[in-house]
Amino acid sequence: MVTLRALALDDAPALTRIYSGASIRHTTGKPLTLDQAHERIRTALARAAEQPRTQWSWGIATEKELIGLISLRRRTPSMGTISYILREDSWGNGYATLAANQVISVAFTTTDLNRLEAMHHPDNPASGRVLLKAGFTRVGTADRNTDKGTIPYELYALETADT
């Protein structure tokens, strides 16, 4: 079982563990420093106070510890994106799917969003399986500029039933 919770400044050491090793292979490829983790948390807390709100970030926690981060971002008035990262020693337990389902519920019940999108690196098919289990459908690819050039990321979408 996992829960989503607000981030706190004392989560910075856990965030540096999450943003390290294999977990960052398909993101920046660079570990997060403690100072960067503190800044990321401060930014998330500031965005939580903004009105209108355009971004939500939660820590993904087990009964024992923080194991990941999941975010929802409003991209247009009715469409948002989700992204997530888990510490590599927590992979394969269904935690990302459980967290994604909780964020989907928030997105479609407490915001005006009626469509969510997510994408993953083509060399990370496990993330695609998470999205499919959470109800997303693969809709194509979207080019993403990275430090290694332009890469066609796998693109997924999910819409509310009343859309």
Side-chain angles (χ1 to χ4, degrees):
M1 169 114 178
V2 296
T3 57
L4 302 186
R5 65 167 178 78
L7 293 171
L9 285 175
D10 61 355
D11 287 327
L15 215 52
T16 63
R17 284 191 62 210
I18 293 163
Y19 281 88
S20 67
S23 294
I24 58 171
R25 182 181 316 130
H26 301 300
T27 61
T28 63
K30 299 175 186 168
L32 202 64
T33 67
L34 192 58
D35 286 343
Q36 290 168 326
H38 278 111
E39 183 57 31
R40 186 168 290 220
I41 293 167
R42 281 191 291 275
T43 299
L45 295 173
R47 287 185 174 152
E50 292 176 346
Q51 292 299 326
R53 193 161 179 184
T54 59
Q55 184 168 329
W56 298 257
S57 294
W58 298 274
I60 302 170
T62 63
E63 293 174 9
K64 298 178 183 180
E65 60 190 331
L66 189 70
I67 60 162
L69 181 70
I70 189 164
S71 297
L72 169 66
R73 292 172 184 84
R74 183 183 301 273
R75 300 299 186 182
T76 71
S78 61
M79 191 274 287
T81 59
I82 68 166
S83 60
Y84 49 87
I85 185 170
L86 288 180
R87 201 175 65 208
E88 82 179 279
D89 64 350
S90 65
W91 293 350
N93 293 300
Y95 297 146
T97 304
L98 291 169
N101 283 328
Q102 291 177 56
V103 171
I104 290 165
S105 178
V106 168
F108 289 155
T109 61
T110 65
T111 72
D112 293 330
L113 299 175
N114 59 32
R115 179 182 172 92
L116 294 176
E117 293 182 356
M119 56 182 163
H120 71 84
H121 191 282
D123 293 338
N124 186 9
S127 193
R129 290 190 296 274
V130 166
L131 295 169
L132 292 171
K133 289 177 192 173
F136 283 78
T137 301
R138 186 183 176 283
V139 294
T141 60
D143 286 344
R144 188 162 183 189
N145 293 324
T146 71
D147 57 351
K148 296 176 183 173
T150 302
I151 297 174
Y153 272 57
E154 302 294 319
L155 180 63
Y156 293 75
L158 176 64
E159 296 185 4
T160 60
D162 56 330
T163 302

